[in-house]
Amino acid sequence: WRNRSATTTMLVAAALPFLFAATAAAVDVGAIALERRRMQGAVDAAALSAVQDLAAADARARDVLTANHAESPLAAQVATGTVAGTGDSRTFTASGSGDAVRVTATYPNPSYFLRALGLRFNDSQVSAVASRRNLGAISIGSSLATFDNGVVNNLTRGLTGSSVGLSLIYDSLNSRLRP
């Protein structure tokens, strides 16, 4: 048998650059995926915040992007408009007014190792749309208004089939909330 250690050493030496390049590519692609998830989360939060106050949508969205450490966007656009359609076929139409907000951010992709090889990834873009629908409201108040023998109290008694009224429920809640 001949000594093959020299052959093995040559094969390992020839394979090492490819192994290092594959590792570098895996690290950079992982960093790009992580940055995309981070930016998408920041843009989602910015859209949800902006839709709460459409008059100040731009400022609210930018505040949330900054609070989520998304200082890296090259550009961030905030547009108000409307959402039309149902299911997967919903579309956003920018109109300057409406009940929806679209936040779009363009950011540079990180590159740690492949940049050294002269490879650069294009900038990426993420977007989120949030719409606001006022379907109903509920309010809990204090003893400023009571319904002892009113229509609402009679309706409550009629629906429950008992003599439980709103004043009884309120007194019960009030006694539990006081220290």
Side-chain angles (χ1 to χ4, degrees):
W1 293 78
R2 294 173 50 185
N3 187 356
R4 295 186 185 193
S5 63
T7 306
T8 305
T9 303
M10 291 298 289
L11 285 174
V12 170
L16 271 176
F18 295 108
L19 181 64
F20 288 142
T23 303
V27 168
D28 279 356
V29 169
I32 289 169
L34 180 64
E35 182 67 9
R36 180 170 185 80
R37 287 182 59 99
R38 190 178 72 81
M39 287 300 295
Q40 186 65 58
V43 168
D44 288 347
L48 288 172
S49 176
V51 80
Q52 298 303 314
D53 183 5
L54 294 171
D58 190 76
R60 288 181 67 112
R62 292 181 192 283
D63 287 346
V64 170
L65 286 173
T66 301
N68 281 287
H69 306 291
E71 295 92 9
S72 64
L74 298 173
Q77 299 89 28
V78 179
T80 57
T82 58
V83 174
T86 58
D88 290 338
S89 63
R90 285 184 268 187
T91 57
F92 175 83
T93 304
S95 63
S97 64
D99 62 354
V101 174
R102 179 180 58 204
V103 179
T104 305
T106 304
Y107 64 94
N109 281 311
S111 178
Y112 302 108
F113 299 109
L114 296 180
R115 183 177 13 178
L117 299 175
L119 298 174
R120 187 184 180 295
F121 294 101
N122 292 333
D123 296 334
S124 291
Q125 189 176 62
V126 291
S127 179
V129 175
S131 64
R132 182 176 182 164
R133 302 282 189 255
N134 293 326
L135 299 175
I138 187 167
S139 177
I140 298 175
S142 66
S143 63
L144 293 175
T146 60
F147 303 101
D148 285 331
N149 289 317
V151 174
V152 175
N153 209 17
N154 290 331
L155 180 64
T156 303
R157 287 185 179 137
L159 288 174
T160 60
S162 67
S163 63
V164 176
L166 291 178
S167 61
L168 236 173
I169 294 171
Y170 175 77
D171 291 338
S172 175
L173 284 174
N174 195 21
S175 66
R176 292 182 187 194
L177 294 177
R178 288 188 183 165

